[in-house]
Amino acid sequence: DGVAREVRSFRLVERSRQLATEQSAVGGVDQPDALRYPALVTLVFDHLTQNGRALARRAALQFVARELPSDQWVAVYGLEQRLRLTQPFTRDPNALRRAIDEATSAGTETRDRLAVGQADQDAASRAADAAVSATAADRPSVDGSAVGAAVSEARVREIIARMTRMVETADLQYRGQSTLFPLMALMKAQGTLAGRKALVLFSEGLPIPPNLEEAYRSAISEANRANVSVYAVDARGLDTARALDQSRQMLDRSGRNSQAQLVSGRSQRPVTLDDVMNSETAEGALRSDTQTALRALAEETGGALIANTNDLGPGVVGRVREDLDSYYEIGYTPAPTPPDGRFRPVEVKIARRGITIHSRSGYFALPDTDTAPLLPYELPMLAAAAADPAPRAFDYAAAAFRFDRSVTGVQHTLVLEIPLAHLTFDEDRRRRTYSLRFTAMAVVKDPAGDVVQRFSESYPLEGPIDRLPALKRGRLRFKRQVWLSPGRYTLWTVARDQATERSSVRSFPLDVPDA
């Protein structure tokens, strides 16, 4: 938090040397703290295309080809539609080789198809940019039929561009969510194990759209709280120019649209989707360099980025093993503060010059909850649910509907409906847009008060201001599926208006019969 803390302990940990000393000691001595637990390495293969799979497979096989240190264990996961364990922690090199082959060969057709279709999307984007320029010019012509044809063609191109950009946005959103949340769960699970851990993430870039920024920071926090260092390996190898070119195209698109708005001035031309989303396009261009997000994830957790080479193996083998074998450990007592969900930055400074420091950037101050990762925006909702009396700033509807039974339990659908007229909208008169930040949560507890399931979502809504009156007549719906074993539960629901920091809480019993 920017305040110097007293260093309580400072030592160099050299695992291999201490292990050798321990094994050669006569009569036996107490094992050093750092060696009471094994060094764990988790290999995760994240949404790789065919070329990325080949490079990642070769690097991972080089990592397990050398004899593992006696205190090191390795696990293998594949990440596509879901996180898939292909090999639990083991020291068996044959089992690890089989797991790496499986993780880099199955379930990867989706990304390959997306890669093949990207050229068509790029072509549609270029056509759309031409349409924006043509529409913005808005100059009269003598040939009326030619004007009509040009306007019609421009509108068709604009529709194609709109669909293309919506697909791109949905793909980025999906890829970001399907990577971040499984990683958070994996790192939080490892937090129950003592000792230092390494997670080697083979990826082709990590897309972080604005609405996933909080989840991204939470992933870094979970890694730091669990003592997991992330080593990001860009499996694209030397083929990273495409991502930079995409960033350049998005910046060009935003610049041309801004220029078109200046040229049109105060004319009565209709507001287009590009006008409304221009600032988001510019921000997205800065975020489309997905290697930057990989680098930050690695460096802020004490790891490193291995990229821009087709021979990834030496970097993975050397860096990960060296860092796990030899590192400094500093102990200090942080200032006592409540678990308020605030990010607590940690910075390490030394007097010696010319040294590069790899350390953890900090963590969110969060309370202990269930095993699912806790996002910062959930903290005030948990506090509202624990308040006595429960707050009721506005009314909303909540219900649980029971459906079929399966091997996993009885299916229930939890639904919250919140009238939008009860919430606070921020209106930007200059851009003629509205925005709403709203969060919702549902928590299922057993008779002992333990959390069985927890669901939440953040709704960052934005749109043209002229549609706001009609929108306020509608409702916002939060819906989740849950499977419960027979028993008695309590369902707690929380709705929170982020703009005014007002919350409402409802709870009711939920009985699941035997039959």
Side-chain angles (χ1 to χ4, degrees):
D1 293 326
V3 179
R5 309 302 303 175
E6 179 186 356
V7 175
R8 298 297 184 91
S9 65
F10 179 50
R11 64 174 180 170
L12 172 62
V13 178
E14 293 182 292
R15 299 178 65 97
S16 58
R17 180 177 300 180
Q18 292 173 5
L19 277 170
T21 302
E22 172 70 11
Q23 292 168 358
S24 62
V26 178
V29 295
D30 289 339
Q31 194 178 46
D33 290 343
L35 304 182
R36 290 177 181 170
Y37 306 97
L40 303 179
V41 180
T42 306
L43 307 180
V44 180
F45 299 90
D46 171 36
H47 297 86
L48 299 178
T49 59
Q50 183 175 359
N51 181 66
R53 293 197 301 272
L55 293 178
R57 183 189 302 116
R58 185 169 62 187
L61 289 175
Q62 290 179 29
F63 180 78
V64 301
R66 291 188 181 183
E67 183 180 358
L68 294 176
S70 59
D71 64 329
Q72 195 170 108
W73 295 68
V74 181
V76 181
Y77 284 84
L79 184 53
E80 287 294 336
Q81 304 296 331
R82 58 193 295 268
L83 189 65
R84 179 170 51 90
L85 174 64
T86 59
Q87 176 59 55
F89 284 107
T90 183
R91 292 178 40 76
D92 183 353
N94 293 324
L96 289 172
R97 282 193 290 267
R98 288 193 298 269
I100 290 170
D101 287 337
E102 179 183 349
T104 55
S105 61
T108 50
E109 295 180 358
T110 303
R111 286 293 305 278
D112 287 343
R113 285 198 300 269
L114 288 173
V116 170
Q118 184 64 42
D120 295 336
Q121 292 189 6
D122 293 343
S125 295
R126 288 192 295 269
D129 294 335
V132 169
S133 302
T135 306
D138 200 20
R139 288 192 292 265
S141 172
V142 176
D143 188 350
S145 61
V147 171
V151 170
S152 298
E153 184 178 356
R155 287 176 178 173
V156 170
R157 289 176 177 172
E158 184 177 351
I159 292 172
I160 294 173
R162 183 178 304 182
M163 292 188 297
T164 301
R165 291 167 193 169
M166 290 179 68
V167 169
E168 291 174 351
T169 301
D171 181 43
L172 288 176
Q173 178 78 13
Y174 165 75
R175 286 174 55 196
Q177 284 184 335
S178 61
T179 298
L180 285 177
F181 289 99
L183 284 183
M184 278 194 283
L186 186 61
M187 291 183 291
K188 181 159 186 173
Q190 294 193 25
T192 59
L193 305 172
R196 189 178 182 194
K197 284 86 65 176
L199 189 149
V200 183
L201 178 64
F202 295 93
S203 176
E204 297 187 20
L206 187 58
I208 308 295
N211 61 328
L212 287 181
E213 180 68 31
E214 203 165 46
Y216 176 62
R217 300 301 303 175
S218 295
I220 294 174
S221 173
E222 290 290 354
N224 290 339
R225 290 162 63 94
N227 203 16
V228 176
S229 294
V230 178
Y231 293 84
V233 183
D234 193 336
R236 291 173 295 185
L238 290 172
D239 186 23
T240 56
R242 186 191 187 100
L244 294 176
D245 186 60
Q246 182 183 8
S247 177
R248 179 188 60 78
Q249 289 181 13
M250 292 178 68
L251 279 175
D252 287 347
R253 182 192 307 165
S254 175
R256 285 197 299 272
N257 190 69
S258 297
Q259 185 178 17
Q261 293 183 51
L262 291 174
V263 170
S264 62
R266 298 179 179 271
S267 67
Q268 299 299 314
R269 77 178 183 92
V271 177
T272 67
L273 178 66
D274 289 294
D275 296 338
V276 175
M277 301 298 294
N278 196 50
S279 61
E280 285 77 5
T281 301
E283 183 178 6
L286 301 177
R287 295 173 181 270
S288 63
D289 180 9
T290 54
Q291 189 181 97
T292 299
L294 279 179
R295 182 186 302 277
L297 177 64
E299 294 180 351
E300 293 192 28
T301 58
L305 173 69
I306 301 164
N308 304 323
T309 175
N310 288 335
D311 191 8
L312 300 168
V316 175
V317 175
R319 190 59 192 268
V320 176
R321 289 199 173 181
E322 289 175 7
D323 286 2
L324 284 177
D325 181 68
S326 178
Y327 56 91
Y328 290 95
E329 183 179 272
I330 302 176
Y332 73 100
T333 303
T337 55
D340 54 5
R342 186 173 56 86
F343 189 80
R344 307 194 66 181
V346 178
E347 185 179 6
V348 179
K349 295 184 178 180
I350 58 175
R352 183 178 172 184
R353 296 183 178 180
I355 298 297
T356 300
I357 302 174
H358 297 271
S359 63
R360 306 188 183 281
S361 62
Y363 58 93
F364 283 107
L366 303 174
D368 292 331
T369 57
D370 51 293
T371 57
L374 183 62
L375 297 174
Y377 72 78
E378 296 177 317
L379 190 66
M381 291 192 287
L382 289 175
D388 188 16
R392 194 69 177 269
F394 48 85
D395 289 328
Y396 67 91
F401 300 93
R402 186 170 66 242
F403 292 94
D404 269 345
R405 181 183 305 275
S406 68
V407 293
T408 57
V410 181
Q411 180 185 352
H412 290 73
T413 299
L414 313 179
V415 181
L416 277 67
E417 282 192 351
I418 303 93
L420 286 167
H422 294 173
L423 305 179
T424 305
F425 291 82
D426 291 327
E427 301 181 16
D428 188 333
R429 296 293 179 179
R430 183 182 63 83
R431 296 176 56 204
R432 296 195 56 76
T433 61
Y434 71 83
S435 61
L436 170 69
R437 183 71 186 277
F438 177 80
T439 54
M441 173 184 284
V443 180
V444 180
K445 295 185 177 182
D446 62 16
D450 295 329
V451 176
V452 177
Q453 293 278 358
R454 170 167 53 86
F455 309 94
S456 72
E457 181 144 349
S458 176
Y459 296 85
L461 304 181
E462 185 174 289
I465 200 170
D466 55 353
R467 299 182 182 178
L468 186 55
L471 182 68
K472 286 185 176 181
R473 294 194 293 270
R475 297 186 175 210
L476 190 150
R477 181 177 292 111
F478 170 81
K479 183 170 65 174
R480 288 294 185 275
Q481 307 289 333
V482 60
W483 284 261
L484 299 172
S485 303
R488 307 193 69 180
Y489 304 89
T490 303
L491 175 62
W492 291 81
T493 63
V494 185
R496 180 172 175 82
D497 187 340
Q498 295 286 75
T500 59
E501 299 185 350
R502 298 181 304 143
S503 298
S504 286
V505 177
R506 293 193 61 183
S507 65
F508 53 85
L510 182 60
D511 295 331
V512 181
D514 290 333

